[in-house]
Amino acid sequence: MSRPLSLLLIDDHALMRQGLAELLNAVEGFVVLGTAASAEEGLTLAEALIPDIVLLDLHMPGMGGMQALKRFKACLPDALIIVLTASDAQADLLMALSMGADGYLLKHTEPEALVQQLMSCSKQCLLLDPKMQLHDSGRASLSQVAGKCVDQVELTERECQTLRLIAEGMSNKLIARALGISDGTVKIHVKHLLSKLNLHSRLELAAWAHRCGFLERGISSERQVG
């Protein structure tokens, strides 16, 4: 008999963590090694527990799921990192895949169906919720994002702040609220970012920020806020 697959569950909602742990521990073939309420806590546990599968929520306080994905892939190269989220947005799906997610499942999935999906996961096959449609053209476009190197661009402080929030999946309205500026001003910053980085969409901006090391390194910025 093969050993059970070990899991680490990361979600900021306690009821979700507890419910998932009870569901999966009751299934022969699974064992939940631990749960975490944040990506930061999850990364610490992951290095100690070395699970086979990480179930990762996408939108959490602190380090967002997108940024965490890259970190989990680096510290757990042999594990499956599967996003479990309430978001059925194509942009979130494509972004998660571009960050190396091995699967993308929706939280409103029936428990029995979720178990079956997890039992079928493997490194050789991308695990997608049946309700999610992966558009090949969109994924190819995202995976080929080039833009400029981090060292080649100079952004204002506000543009840097805007780009970081775009990379966390925030809308213009949420960015405006977070930075205390108008929606129109956010749109201007986004326009400037696209021009300076030689990119064509918000999705490409977010992918560039994650793939080119902007979130880890930051870049030089002019002291201009607006």
Side-chain angles (χ1 to χ4, degrees), residues 11-33:
D11 195 290
D12 58 318
H13 291 96
L15 286 176
M16 187 69 184
R17 294 196 306 275
Q18 182 178 348
L20 272 175
E22 291 178 356
L23 171 68
L24 296 173
N25 275 328
V27 177
E28 185 176 356
F30 288 134
V31 58
V32 176
L33 298 180

Side-chain angles (χ1 to χ4, degrees), residues 15 19 26 45 66 78 110 115 124 127-128 135 152 164 173 178 218:
L15 286 176
L45 284 177
M66 293 301 185
D78 297 322
E110 290 293 329
V115 169
Q124 288 72 44
L127 181 62
L128 284 185
H135 304 311
Q152 294 178 320
R164 288 183 180 278
K173 184 174 292 186

